[in-house]
Amino acid sequence: MHLNEAKKVFLDLYGGNESDLRFFAAPGRVNLIGEHTDYNGGYVFPAALTMRTLIIARKNGKNTINLAATDLPDRVSLDIDNLANYKNIGWGSYQAAIAYTMKKEGFEITGCDMLFDDTTPHGAGLSSSAAIEVAAAFALATFSNEKKGIKNDVDLIQIAKIGQKAENEYIGVNCGIMDQFSSAMGRKNHAIFLDCKDLSYKLVPLAIDGYKIVISNTNKKRSLQTSKYNERRSECDIALRSLQKSLPEKNYLGEITIDEFEKYKHSIEDAAAKKRARHVVYECDRVLKSIQALLNNDIKTFGHLMVESHNSLRDLYEVTGIELDTLVEEALKIDGVIGTRMTGAGFGGCTVSIVREEAIDKFINDVGKNYESKIGYPASFYISEIGDGAREVK
Ligand code: GLA
């Protein structure tokens, strides 16, 4: 929604005038490569999108946080003294999770009225929920700092950690840090090379002249995602425990090199766990090679690595499915597609493709037509721009 329109919705709902409104934004993300590696202490390479959550907010002097959204009829009022009570309310539970987690960590949670406006599609694997979490955390942290008289900027890495903790402990999804980190720390026209074992990171310029990043949405409704996701995490833990018998100094699968894996893989008895670990170890190596390829301006190699990543997520990690595989297969038939793969958790959601600019119309037309005739309903396409991370918009 346009900002002026959203302001009007806010004032119609909560009254008052424009003068004391504040604006906070945090983006969704696309992961270019490094999938299902974050919770294994491995490497990821995501970028923040310009699709975002914008919050219009105003302190209300009460002990409640009032929530509304421009695209939903729901209205929620959170009692700051009872923040544990909103786990199963549907929309609003992410905001409650953030306020609850921040209060436990010593933030002064301030009563306020909030209106959420999202442009990141929901449930599409582009981290619309991380965008909501990080934007809400940024707003509440800003208000807390003001109440305490703290002049420092909001600590963005702390915001990312709060987002992950809220999701793990309050919402019950055992996600890693990638989505919240990208949403908090993204930078326009850069991707983030992040080492998830210690959160060290580098911003890498995404200068791919003549090409665009195209996101294709399967539009598949996801349901089993949470349980399958948590199941993959436990399979990785089983593999790690087996490998640690020979490699006791390793704390994460993401720290194990290909040579070490090949030498000790026989110790993983569980066949599924062995496949999952193989994916993680080789995927981390692909991230390193991808960064090198980008730095060498070798976009072709980067593209090959993306396709290898998809194949591994399909065959070893088993998180793709017919919808994502069809998008990738159809994309690879188009001349001008450099690389393509699923992005995010999988089981539906989106693919990310690097496409030569002149080929984009054909890409959207042909992939769209063939996807719909095979799957029975249409895909959606977005040409993505890489934007900034969380901020107060002045
Ligand atoms: C989801 C999770 C992330 C990450 C990806 C898979 O997006 O929220 O933490 O694990 O899946 O790479």
Side-chain angles (χ1 to χ4, degrees), residues 29 31 34-40 44 125-127 129-130 164 167-168 173-180 222 225 229 233 279 283 313 317 319 341-346:
R29 64 94 192 94
N31 188 21
E35 215 65 83
H36 288 280
T37 47
D38 62 347
Y39 51 83
N40 285 304
V44 293
L126 300 176
S127 297
S129 46
Q164 184 197 13
E167 186 134 351
N168 291 170
V173 177
N174 248 331
C175 66
I177 188 86
M178 171 170 72
D179 305 346
Q180 292 80 6
R222 291 184 291 174
Q225 196 206 346
Y229 186 90
R233 279 200 74 143
H279 164 76
E283 182 79 352
L313 288 155
Y317 220 71
V319 291
R341 57 183 289 279
M342 59 154 267
T343 185

Side-chain angles (χ1 to χ4, degrees), residues 14 55 60-68 74-103 109-114 116 132 136-137 140 170-171:
Y14 297 117
I55 303 177
N60 62 16
K62 301 186 190 130
N63 210 29
T64 49
I65 301 175
N66 296 316
L67 305 172
D74 310 43
R75 301 279 174 265
V76 173
S77 195
L78 306 174
D79 173 359
I80 293 174
D81 291 328
N82 288 298
L83 288 167
N85 293 350
Y86 303 100
K87 291 197 173 141
N88 301 310
I89 59 168
W91 188 81
S93 62
Y94 284 102
Q95 292 90 331
I98 290 294
Y100 173 84
T101 307
M102 289 177 75
K103 193 172 178 197
I109 301 301
T110 308
C112 54
D113 299 333
M114 290 180 155
F116 286 74
I132 291 175
L140 292 176
Y170 196 97
I171 305 291

